[in-house]
Amino acid sequence: MRVGMFPGTFDPVTSGHLDILHRALQVFDRVIVAVAHRHQKQTLFSAEERIEMIRDSISKGDAGRIEIVPFEGLLVDFARARKVAGIVRGLRFVSDFEYEFQMALMNQKLAPNLPTIFLMPSEKYTYLNSSLVKEIVRNGGAVGGLVPPAVARSLKKKLGRAERQKT
Ligand code: ADP
């Protein structure tokens, strides 16, 4: 059984993340979604909330092949402890490349037998990231289609503003 690991902050999970997760399930038998605690980066949602939102967003059909777990510390140590065959990351733009390239090479140095696999989302998600989604909700905009319905509800609750009245 080939197991992959999809690590990230997922603050919150978006349709872009879910697109990558579906593609990862085509490559691996099972995927562990590793949700970073992120002590160095302030997150809007706690790790528990981020995990819950991912759980609410995956289909029943896929749920048996997906495990969602928190992690802190070095990703390669966690990945090796779970004996995964590879790390999955999403690539949207050339601007993602520099950071992802550096991370992948460093992880390769730390764990030479742990490959990083880059997957590209559907082009309709290439402009999407968690920060933009939070900014839209903060300013009263609608995020339907960009995040799962459960996430849209949590965002509205957390960031509090009613959607702008249509005039
Ligand atoms: P991190 O802080 O580790 O970058 P993120 O939650 O921002 O965590 O991203 C996790 C992974 O998901 C990264 O590989 C990122 O490139 C990918 N990702 C995020 N948004 C999208 C998207 N819209 N389409 C494809 N991949 C995405």
Side-chain angles (χ1 to χ4, degrees), residues 80-120:
R80 274 193 294 215
R82 297 301 308 261
K83 297 188 167 40
V84 302
I87 290 173
V88 172
R89 295 285 288 177
L91 263 190
R92 286 158 291 183
F93 314 106
V94 179
S95 54
D96 277 344
F97 183 77
E98 205 173 328
Y99 173 73
E100 295 292 343
F101 186 60
Q102 192 179 16
M103 288 288 294
L105 287 180
M106 184 52 80
N107 285 338
Q108 193 168 291
K109 173 136 187 73
L110 296 171
N113 296 323
L114 183 67
T116 301
I117 292 139
F118 292 105
L119 297 172
M120 278 170 221

Side-chain angles (χ1 to χ4, degrees), residues 3 18 29 46 58 74 97 112 123 127 144:
V3 182
L18 294 174
D29 300 307
S46 69
I58 56 181
L74 270 185
F97 183 77
E123 61 179 322
Y127 59 91

Side-chain angles (χ1 to χ4, degrees), residues 6-11 14 16-17 20 38 41 89-92 96 99-100 121 125-126 128-130:
F6 181 28
T9 311
F10 306 104
D11 186 43
T14 68
H17 289 126
I20 297 295
R38 279 279 178 214
K41 191 165 128 187
R89 295 285 288 177
L91 263 190
R92 286 158 291 183
D96 277 344
Y99 173 73
E100 295 292 343
Y125 298 132
T126 51
L128 180 56
N129 68 40
S130 301

Side-chain angles (χ1 to χ4, degrees), residues 127-141:
Y127 59 91
L128 180 56
N129 68 40
S130 301
S131 306
L132 268 180
V133 162
K134 283 180 277 193
E135 206 46 43
I136 294 169
V137 175
R138 214 171 259 132
N139 288 290

